[in-house]
Amino acid sequence: MGFFDKFTKSFEDEVEEAMEKIRGMGLGVEGLSASVDGKVVTIKGSAPDMDAKAKVMQFFNEMVDTENTFNMISIPAPEPKPEPEPEPEPAAEEATTTGERVYEVVHGDTLGAVAQKFYGHANAYMKIFEANRDILDNPNLIRPGQKLRIPE
């Protein structure tokens, strides 16, 4: 390529030559193309990231003198990350080998509420308290995570 070749090439040829060089740089831009309207160039394609998009424009502007260059290169939206699966709630009720039910206390529970759930009335809480005297000292003091035996 001689000194005067730049002056004998058409503007469109200059743009296409620059695009071929940029395609060969391995920037990962798919469908890279340019359209020319006078001395205004519109570059299109799909870049993997903003860095590749910016490099295409930088290299193109270094190679071709335009009146204006429109960068219409798209960047695909990232794939949404899957929502993490929620931690499973601890089993609130278990069956023991003796047929006795077990309930794991959760935040906000009272013996009255547990009795309501299993017996249909809150005033049966003393039945649960008596069955769990080995771990309970006071029927008003239960803690999340405690496993209570629920008698029949």
Side-chain angles (χ1 to χ4, degrees):
M1 179 163 136
F3 176 74
F4 293 104
D5 287 347
K6 182 173 181 175
F7 300 111
T8 59
K9 282 188 208 171
S10 71
F11 182 70
E12 288 83 3
D13 290 341
E14 193 178 337
V15 167
E16 187 52 41
E17 184 178 300
M19 295 305 289
E20 284 300 318
K21 287 181 182 176
I22 293 169
R23 285 185 199 106
M25 291 179 174
L27 298 174
V29 179
E30 295 180 11
L32 187 60
S33 66
S35 58
V36 178
D37 183 15
K39 293 275 276 180
V40 176
V41 178
T42 302
I43 299 176
K44 295 180 181 177
S46 179
D49 53 37
M50 191 61 157
D51 187 48
K53 179 178 178 173
K55 284 182 180 177
V56 168
M57 286 304 293
Q58 176 189 351
F59 295 138
F60 182 80
N61 287 330
E62 289 173 0
M63 292 184 241
V64 181
D65 183 28
T66 67
E67 287 180 8
N68 200 355
T69 305
F70 293 105
N71 186 345
M72 301 300 288
I73 298 172
S74 64
I75 301 172
E79 293 290 323
K81 293 180 181 175
E83 291 290 322
E85 291 191 25
E87 293 289 323
E89 289 290 323
E93 186 179 343
E94 301 173 2
T96 63
T97 54
T98 61
E100 191 173 61
R101 295 173 291 184
V102 175
Y103 176 79
E104 186 173 334
V105 177
V106 295
H107 182 74
D109 273 344
T110 64
L111 281 183
V114 175
Q116 179 71 38
K117 175 180 176 162
F118 288 98
Y119 302 120
H121 46 89
N123 61 356
Y125 74 93
M126 284 305 289
K127 189 174 184 179
I128 298 171
F129 176 68
E130 291 300 329
N132 292 281
R133 298 275 315 192
D134 58 327
I135 61 170
L136 299 177
D137 295 322
N138 182 334
N140 296 318
L141 297 176
I142 62 173
R143 292 182 311 279
Q146 285 180 314
K147 292 189 182 208
L148 304 177
R149 289 182 302 282
I150 310 295
E152 292 298 322

